[in-house]
Amino acid sequence: MKKIILLPFILITVGISAQKTYPATVYLANGTSKTGSTAIINNTTSTIKLKSNSGQDSEKIKRDDITKINYYDEVVKDSVSFLHSDFIVDYKKSGKPIIKRSWMRKIYSGADVSAYVYETNYAGFRSATSVYTATSVQSYYLRHKNELPKFIFYTHNGFNYFNNKAYTKVINTLVKNFFDDLCPDVTKAYQNNEIILVSTPIPLVNYYEQKCVK
């Protein structure tokens, strides 16, 4: 497999607003779940503190015991979901994937392909429709069913770099690597400019669902 070079800031730690808490459901690796309220996740801490719905008791849960957290903001009436997972950030010359583990925010849930974003400068609760922070880098991943999420492309403050030939060449390879085994028509459509990417990879997923999913 051709080696893909990704930019180093893909793995910059997510920031948080540590003080405010939100109603949340925490999904655990053992298949159970717990509800309460907790702060937006932070990749630099080893545990989260989940307060009971009564607010009188709290429990510390190890980060590595968590697979997903769903938050809800009662003020803006919106929810956000974070996946805690291994994900593929690059490949070695041998073709073996380079895997990291972190939190990613879900931005789309499709029939069997979902989309996620790994962000820098994450400030508190923010839904998929919220504005970007001034220095925010977004690294986008696609996930087929329960496979590891795979990197597709990045933007900075919501802007892409598709006018850069070297960048575009890498994205072409990443799209091909993800979709060729699922539906080669997606790769062809993207290369023929039938699919236009701007700020997220969701157009790829939409095309896949319309043309390939039966």
Side-chain angles (χ1 to χ4, degrees):
M1 182 180 292
K2 184 175 180 181
K3 180 173 174 59
I4 300 169
I5 304 299
L6 305 185
L7 297 181
F9 51 64
I10 290 173
L11 297 177
I12 298 174
T13 302
V14 176
I16 62 160
S17 175
Q19 301 301 317
K20 187 171 177 57
T21 62
Y22 299 90
T25 301
V26 179
Y27 295 85
L28 304 176
N30 63 10
T32 64
S33 63
K34 298 183 179 184
T35 59
S37 61
T38 186
I40 296 295
I41 50 86
N42 180 357
N43 281 322
T44 64
T45 59
S46 59
T47 62
I48 68 163
K49 187 176 182 180
L50 183 68
K51 294 181 180 179
S52 66
N53 290 327
S54 66
Q56 297 180 354
D57 301 311
S58 62
E59 175 185 4
K60 289 186 177 180
I61 304 175
K62 294 181 179 179
R63 177 185 58 194
D64 291 340
D65 292 336
I66 302 171
T67 59
K68 183 175 67 173
I69 302 179
N70 290 343
Y71 295 91
Y72 183 74
D73 189 324
E74 295 174 325
V75 176
V76 300
K77 307 298 182 183
D78 202 358
S79 60
V80 65
S81 178
F82 284 88
L83 176 72
H84 187 228
S85 172
D86 291 341
F87 56 100
I88 298 174
V89 298
D90 204 345
Y91 291 90
K92 297 181 179 179
K93 291 182 179 180
S94 63
K96 183 178 181 180
I98 298 174
I99 297 172
K100 302 294 182 181
R101 188 171 183 83
S102 188
W103 293 95
M104 287 184 291
R105 178 168 60 92
K106 179 180 280 190
I107 59 172
Y108 186 87
S109 182
D112 58 12
V113 173
S114 51
Y116 296 84
V117 59
Y118 179 96
E119 301 174 277
T120 59
N121 300 325
Y122 191 88
F125 186 98
R126 213 175 77 197
S127 70
T129 58
S130 298
V131 296
Y132 293 109
T133 56
T135 58
S136 182
V137 173
Q138 303 84 33
S139 298
Y140 291 96
Y141 291 77
L142 293 180
R143 185 189 195 194
H144 178 238
K145 295 185 178 179
N146 291 322
E147 297 175 1
L148 296 184
K150 298 178 181 178
F151 176 70
I152 297 296
F153 71 94
Y154 76 91
T155 63
H156 179 260
N157 196 29
F159 295 98
N160 65 54
Y161 298 88
F162 292 127
N163 59 341
N164 182 292
K165 290 184 179 180
Y167 177 87
T168 302
K169 185 177 180 180
V170 172
I171 305 309
N172 285 336
T173 302
L174 292 166
V175 170
K176 178 180 175 64
N177 286 348
F178 187 87
F179 283 103
D180 266 11
D181 289 339
L182 298 178
C183 181
D185 288 345
V186 178
T187 302
K188 294 177 183 178
Y190 176 68
Q191 293 175 344
N192 292 333
N193 295 319
E194 297 175 41
I195 302 173
I196 304 299
L197 301 180
V198 178
S199 58
T200 76
I202 293 176
L204 290 168
V205 183
N206 287 338
Y207 187 95
Y208 168 76
E209 292 180 335
Q210 293 168 10
K211 303 294 184 178
C212 306
V213 178
K214 296 181 181 180

